[in-house]
Amino acid sequence: MTDAVIDLSSMRPRALLALYSQILTELIRRRIVWSRNAPAGDYAELLVAEAFGGRLAKGSEKSWDVRVGNELLQVKCRVVDPSSKRTQTFSPFRSFAFDRCVFVLVDSVSYRVTRAIQVDRDLVEGRASLSAWVAGSRLTVRNVLAMTEGVDVTEALQRAQDEVDVRGRRADRDQ
Amino acid sequence: MTDAVIDLSSMRPRALLALYSQILTELIRRRIVWSRNAPAGDYAELLVAEAFGGRLAKGSEKSWDVRVGNELLQVKCRVVDPSSKRTQTFSPFRSFAFDRCVFVLVDSVSYRVTRAIQVDRDLVEGRASLSAWVAGSRLTVRNVLAMTEGVDVTEALQRAQDEVDVRGRRADRDQ
């Protein structure tokens, strides 16, 4: 496979949006993602499942994303733009019915995993702050990077990225 | 400008994601969108501002998206995949502090606006159903298409799409 170099500057807005849509269709076709939302969330769940030999939750499951044996993992991904000075926050927790959470940071240009940290539920619940606006509890990227109790799983997820690039998806969906 | 035809099937997953990211960067550079979220939401707000000669809300504004004179408009966009049988829902309303809502449906392949309907706040609030899970009120695409009291603004938004394609963005941000 080759990495095409494409000149986007000559394309009209709607052509850019159509190409964006075509990319999602291709990623869905290969089961790298399964929704037409921004792809980082699904992709991070896949990487966690591939890295730990887990199974992806069924679409109806709201409180966890990947099952590894009897352990239920929540996955939270944030695409990080290193040039941005704004506070970066993970999507809200609306349930803590999981065993661990894997926080995944992805570089906004290369989509390389730059950091992945696995944290026990109690710690996540204790550190998250309630937001009435979104009816959930939130953690910033800074909060998570300060959790020295977490387990660094960056290398395992980077290896999964390389494997998925070479041989595609293997992880199954939960029964 | 030309519409490039690109063979995505030979690209690896991470190259596809990097191209996806590059497209967002290009759209942000031209101010067609302003976040790295899925682009349909920002794009629909821009089209409403262009179509009605309005101004886009500042980023901190949570209850409306476009101001046209003294009128505050909320914009809700849904990318519609015609092959999907699932119930399609707009993102939740967490405030009704606006005058009208413009619901915009966009084709998932071409990003053409297929339908745009402007509806008064009271009607929106009356028809939306509360969802405790998201702490907001929701409307499905079907709900909105059944609102015969709405004003069809499809052509105005399609014209704005064509204009933005040719001459780029003109709409300013609110002061």
Side-chain angles (χ1 to χ4, degrees), chain B residues 42-99:
Chain B
D42 289 352
Y43 181 57
E45 291 176 21
L46 176 65
L47 294 180
V48 169
E50 298 283 350
F52 302 137
R55 285 171 170 272
L56 291 153
K58 284 184 274 195
S60 55
E61 190 53 64
K62 287 180 172 180
S63 57
W64 55 274
D65 302 304
V66 175
R67 191 171 58 74
V68 182
N70 290 324
E71 284 222 320
L72 304 180
L73 304 183
Q74 168 72 251
V75 180
K76 292 284 183 191
C77 182
R78 189 74 169 80
V79 177
V80 175
D81 175 0
S83 71
S84 170
K85 296 269 177 273
R86 292 164 66 181
T87 301
Q88 316 219 43
T89 307
F90 291 95
S91 70
F93 290 89
R94 297 212 170 95
S95 155
F96 290 95
F98 55 82
D99 298 300

Side-chain angles (χ1 to χ4, degrees), chain A residues 7 9 11 15 18 31 38 42 47 50 54-55 59 62 68 74 85 92 94 105-106 118 140 147 155 160 166:
Chain A
D7 178 23
S9 67
M11 290 171 70
R31 304 192 310 139
D42 288 352
L47 295 180
E50 298 282 350
R55 285 172 170 272
K62 288 182 173 179
V68 182
Q74 168 73 252
K85 297 269 178 273
R94 297 212 171 95
L105 299 181
V106 166
Q118 186 175 279
T140 65
M147 287 179 179
E155 276 182 36
V166 171

Side-chain angles (χ1 to χ4, degrees), chain A residues 11 20-21 30 108 133, chain B residues 11 20-21 30 94 108 133:
Chain A
M11 290 171 70
Y20 162 98
S21 174
R30 298 198 214 166
S108 66
W133 179 261
Chain B
M11 291 171 71
Y20 162 97
S21 175
R30 298 196 212 167
R94 297 212 170 95
S108 66
W133 179 260

Side-chain angles (χ1 to χ4, degrees), chain A residues 22-34 39, chain B residues 12-14 16-17 20:
Chain A
Q22 223 185 307
I23 291 171
L24 289 185
T25 302
E26 179 65 17
L27 288 168
I28 290 169
R29 190 181 68 78
R30 298 198 214 166
R31 304 192 310 139
I32 303 299
V33 306
W34 36 95
Chain B
R12 291 181 174 184
R14 203 148 70 83
L16 288 169
L17 290 163
Y20 162 97

Side-chain angles (χ1 to χ4, degrees), chain B residues 124-166:
Chain B
V124 173
E125 193 166 3
R127 299 281 169 85
S129 13
L130 198 70
S131 158
W133 179 260
V134 297
S137 296
R138 310 203 76 158
L139 279 169
T140 64
V141 168
R142 186 189 294 255
N143 292 152
V144 171
L145 293 177
M147 288 178 177
T148 50
E149 308 89 335
V151 177
D152 192 303
V153 293
T154 310
E155 275 182 36
L157 263 73
Q158 288 177 340
R159 207 174 310 123
Q161 282 198 294
D162 294 339
E163 286 170 4
V164 166
D165 259 6
V166 171

Side-chain angles (χ1 to χ4, degrees), chain B residues 18-37:
Chain B
L19 179 57
Y20 162 97
S21 175
Q22 221 185 307
I23 291 171
L24 289 184
T25 302
E26 179 65 19
L27 288 168
I28 290 169
R29 190 181 70 76
R30 298 196 212 167
R31 304 191 312 140
I32 303 299
V33 306
W34 36 95
S35 76
R36 300 194 74 83
N37 302 329

